[in-house]
Every structure is written in C-alpha cells, then in structure tokens.
Amino acid sequence: MLVAVVVFLASGLGILTRPEKQLAAFWLTNALLLGLFARRPALASPAGWAAAALGYVAADLLTDTSLPTTLRLTAANLAGVLAGYLVFRHIREEDRRLQHPLSMLGVLAVSATAAVGASLVGSVTSHAMMRMGFLTASGFWFSAELVSYVAILPVVLLAPAPAEALRELRDGLDRARQRPLLLLPLVALALTILLGVTIGGPGAIAFPVPALLWCALAYRLFTTAVITALLCMWTLIAIATGLIDLHLQETSVQPVISLRMGMALLAVAPLTVASVNAMRNRLLATLNHTADHDALTSALNRRAFLRRGGDLMAQSHRRSEPVVAMMLDIDHFKSVNDRHGHAAGDAVLATFAQRMRTHLREDGLFGRLGGEEFAVLLPGVDAVSAIAVAERLRELAGEPMPLDDGRILDITVSVGVSAPSSPESADALERLLSQADVALYRAKAMGRDRVVA
C-alpha cells in the first residue's frame, strides 16, 4: 500500500506538468520509488513491484491516457527503476548517505544507469507519442530521467524520520530567529532566481549557482538536497511554461535535451560541496571530541574540564546562579589493579564513568582529573540538592560491577562537595574545586564510602 500510494500520488503530480502529447516537464516518481526501495529493500519484493505498476497505471488511466500508452510508459518507468536498483545494491552504505566526497559520483552513476534503462524502453513510446526518431527519443527520455534522478534521489536517501525532521525543522527555525543572517543564502538564491526570470536566455539556469554553493556551505546536507531539488523542479517547469524564456530559436528538441542534462550536472556541484562540508564537520567534531575527552572513560579530560568549567562559571555569574562542585575518588583503586589486573581496573573506571554520566544533568560537567579522581560541576543547585545528588552517585558506584570475564567487583567511592558558591571572581572555579578536594580528603579520613560537604 505504501508503494502504491507513493507512486500514484507522485505520478499524478508529474502528469500535471505534462504538456499535451509530451512527457512531463519533471517526473519525480521513478526517483522516489528507487530511493524507497534503496532505503527499505524489503519493499522491493514481487508484491512491491506489482504495487508500483498498479500505481503507475492507475494514475495514467485516471488522467485519460490510453491503455496501450499507459502500459508502455509504465514499462519504461519500471525498467529504469529496476536498472538503478540493481546498480544501487553495489553502492557502499556511506555513499548511499552521501558521506564521502565522491559519493555524488556514485549517485550520478546510478542515475545514469536508471535513465539509460528507461530511455531504451521509453524511446519506443516517445516515438509513438511525439513522432521522434529513435536516437532523438532516447536522448529526450534519458535527459528527462537523469535530471529527475539526480535531483530527487539524494533527498529520498537523506530524508530523516518524521520525528527527527520535525525536530530539525524546529531547531532550524530557532537558529534562524537567533541568527537572521543564516537566511542570507536563501535570500541570495531567491534573488538569482528572480534575475533569471527577468533576464532569461540560455545562461539563466546558471544564475543561481553561486547562491546554491553558498547554501551548500551554510546548511546541512539534507537541506541542501531539498533546495537543489526544488530549484531543478522550478527551473524545468518554469521553462516548460514560459516563465523563463531561453530565447532559443530552434524548434528541435536538442536544446531541451542539452538543458536537462545541464541541470542534472549542475545539481551535482552543490551536493558534492555539501558532502565535503559534512565530512569536514564530522572530522572536526571527532577531533574536538578526542582532544577534549578521556579515551578510556569518555569523560572530559582535565584541560577541557577546567576550560569548560570556567565558561560555566562565567555563564552562571551572568545568571546569578550558584555552582556546586564535587570531587569523586574510587576507594582503594590501587588494590583493584593489584588483585585483578590493570584490565579490570580499566573496566572499573569505564563502568564507573558511564554510571555517573547517566545520572548527571546535561547542563553539568563531568571530568576525569587524573587516575581514579573525577570532578563534577552543577549549576543552579542548592546545598540540600547537591548532597542528595552526591549520595545518589555514591550509591550508583557501589552497585555490583560485573566484568567481561564473569567476575563481579564491589567498589565504593568517596565524594567531597563544596557548598553552592557564587562565581563572582576569576579564581572562583579554582577555589570551588579546592574546597571540594578538602571535603574529599575529609571523607577519606572518616572511613571512605561517604559524602562530606
């Protein structure tokens, strides 16, 4: 049902752009179907292909297309999707998600293969409908399919789940309200589109390219794919309806074939730039995470904890919020290494840190200052709440800790808590951690496995 409904609705939309006795100005159904099969291979079953054929036929028959023509068009559409799907099965997962600088070349290869498959079957239909020679009909059909696949397929492959899409939309709107300059690439794109409508001519399709590349550098990969697809659809439909006058005197279809292939290749550029930019951002995020986090426990390392702690103190000072610091030390950790080995000690540290992170708030900081000593900073917490949080962390640490080899260790932790402090001076963080450290040593002197404030 999903396949049939998608194909039927998309085909109906494409038929609306179909001039009399011609193919649609922009046909997105085949790319949608291929993307759907690529994202969910279980749908590419015999029942899925039959449902797709039913959707194609139903859409054509409801728009008064003759049955023979409908069957020929459906055969061409399915031939193209099948050809593309067979090639797509050999594309790496990272290239399907456009996560590599050359991923768009793989998508282009799939698109070209699908377009060839459709053109070989569809050229017969084009010849019957439009009185074209076989080579001209093949080129006409190939170019129409190529631009559709290149524009639409990345959108389908990158589309997030509905809940994630709504969350990203809300985040994007919030960022736009906070930083209106983020809308400048879209404004520039709209102005270049208007310029193309006003001036026209063969160069009009290239006017938006600089703004499109700006969008690729400013926005996320999926957003860039959507913008590129909408631009391709608009340009081809605007030219077909006369909104953009290319001032071409020839009456042959050669300029149309050239235009469509040019649009397809034009769409590759911003998506490639966006893929490169996305990979760069992922690498930077990985490097930043590696530089700021302890490799064993994934807690902030000492340098990053102190840097971010200073920022948190300054932010809390502006908000007039108190800040609580905690120092945590695993009791008798040296004996764990001596009795069970350093691998067990590492496992204890990693498990301990994971338990602490799951309980702490996201606006707090958790870091490993060295060895078995950890620190916590919590903004906006009073003394009673701070002690309650510290007691809960102590209880979590004391729960039985299973190791990979089946052994179970029992550990305890001592916690020193500094009372809420107002971060009014430059050395506030240093004094806060020093007070928590003093409280920690008092906890150890009093017998360990306790919280001292």
Side-chain angles (χ1 to χ4, degrees):
M1 286 299 297
L2 173 66
V3 172
V5 170
V6 168
V7 170
F8 177 77
L9 293 178
S11 297
L13 183 62
I15 290 171
L16 293 178
T17 70
R18 181 188 293 172
E20 185 178 359
K21 295 183 179 181
Q22 294 187 39
L23 298 179
F26 194 88
W27 186 257
L28 53 81
T29 311
N30 299 346
L32 280 176
L33 181 59
L34 177 55
L36 191 61
F37 283 171
R39 289 284 297 267
R40 299 179 62 178
L43 293 176
S45 62
W49 288 100
L54 179 62
Y56 282 121
V57 171
D60 266 327
L61 291 181
L62 288 178
T63 52
D64 297 328
T65 305
S66 66
L67 181 59
T69 299
T70 295
L71 295 177
R72 288 196 296 266
L73 291 172
T74 299
N77 291 326
L78 291 176
V81 175
L82 178 60
Y85 181 71
L86 293 176
V87 175
F88 224 119
R89 294 169 61 184
H90 301 284
I91 298 296
R92 298 178 303 175
E93 181 62 28
E94 64 174 344
D95 288 326
R96 296 186 184 196
R97 304 296 298 170
L98 272 69
Q99 295 179 350
H100 190 273
L102 299 180
S103 294
M104 265 310 296
L105 295 182
V107 174
L108 180 62
V110 171
S111 301
T113 303
V116 168
S119 66
L120 291 177
V121 178
S123 56
V124 177
T125 302
S126 296
H127 175 74
M129 290 176 60
M130 307 173 64
R131 311 297 182 185
M132 294 180 182
F134 179 78
L135 290 179
T136 302
S138 298
F140 191 83
W141 194 292
F142 173 83
S143 62
E145 289 290 301
L146 181 65
V147 68
S148 299
Y149 276 110
V150 171
I152 300 299
L153 195 53
V155 176
V156 184
L157 296 175
L158 297 171
E164 184 182 351
L166 289 176
R167 185 171 60 253
E168 289 188 2
L169 178 60
R170 287 194 297 267
D171 293 344
L173 293 176
D174 290 339
R175 287 195 300 270
R177 281 193 294 265
Q178 296 171 5
R179 300 171 58 192
L181 292 181
L182 286 175
L183 297 176
L184 281 180
L186 285 178
V187 173
L189 183 62
L191 291 176
T192 55
I193 291 174
L194 181 61
L195 189 65
V197 173
T198 304
I199 297 178
I205 65 170
F207 289 177
V209 170
L212 201 55
L213 294 177
W214 191 6
C215 290
L217 293 172
Y219 303 135
R220 296 180 179 179
L221 183 54
F222 174 66
T223 305
T224 302
V226 172
I227 293 172
T228 303
L230 291 176
L231 177 65
C232 290
M233 293 173 63
W234 153 257
T235 302
L236 293 175
I237 293 174
I239 291 173
T241 57
L243 287 175
I244 297 179
D245 186 2
L246 297 183
H247 305 300
L248 298 175
Q249 303 300 320
E250 297 184 41
T251 58
S252 69
V253 297
Q254 302 302 329
V256 177
I257 296 175
S258 176
L259 167 69
R260 287 172 169 171
M261 294 186 65
M263 285 298 303
L265 297 178
L266 182 149
V268 172
L271 292 172
T272 300
V273 171
S275 296
V276 173
N277 195 47
M279 191 179 87
R280 166 187 167 275
N281 291 337
R282 287 194 301 272
L283 289 175
L284 288 176
T286 301
L287 289 173
N288 289 335
H289 185 275
T290 302
D292 286 352
H293 291 78
D294 175 61
L296 176 62
T297 63
S298 294
L300 291 172
N301 58 35
R302 184 183 188 90
R303 178 181 59 81
F305 182 86
L306 295 177
R307 186 186 74 247
R308 295 191 187 184
D311 295 339
L312 185 148
M313 297 290 282
Q315 185 181 56
S316 296
H317 178 60
R318 291 193 298 270
R319 297 177 177 177
S320 299
E321 289 181 345
V323 179
V324 166
M326 301 180 191
M327 298 291 288
L328 300 88
D329 191 275
I330 299 176
D331 298 325
H332 304 297
F333 181 73
K334 184 176 183 300
S335 66
V336 175
N337 283 329
D338 293 341
R339 293 170 56 191
H340 303 284
H342 288 281
D346 289 347
V348 167
L349 290 172
T351 303
F352 169 79
Q354 192 274 334
R355 289 180 178 179
M356 299 301 101
R357 285 197 305 272
T358 58
H359 184 72
L360 293 170
R361 297 180 341 203
E362 291 185 0
D363 60 348
L365 296 179
F366 175 68
R368 183 186 182 190
L369 301 190
E372 67 274 17
E373 191 174 63
F374 297 82
V376 172
L377 279 181
L378 295 176
V381 177
D382 58 33
V384 176
S385 299
I387 294 174
V389 171
E391 286 288 358
R392 178 57 181 153
L393 295 179
R394 185 186 65 81
E395 293 172 0
L396 283 172
E399 294 179 356
M401 189 173 293
L403 301 179
D404 292 339
D405 59 7
R407 290 177 294 174
I408 297 179
L409 299 182
D410 292 316
I411 67 167
T412 61
V413 65
S414 299
V415 185
V417 181
S418 64
S421 173
S422 178
E424 72 285 349
S425 60
D427 63 343
L429 176 61
E430 182 179 345
R431 288 190 293 105
L432 198 61
L433 293 176
S434 178
Q435 292 169 3
D437 200 42
V438 170
L440 171 65
Y441 278 94
R442 285 180 57 202
K444 287 184 171 293
M446 295 170 65
R448 295 182 169 84
D449 189 21
R450 66 189 65 231
V451 173
V452 172

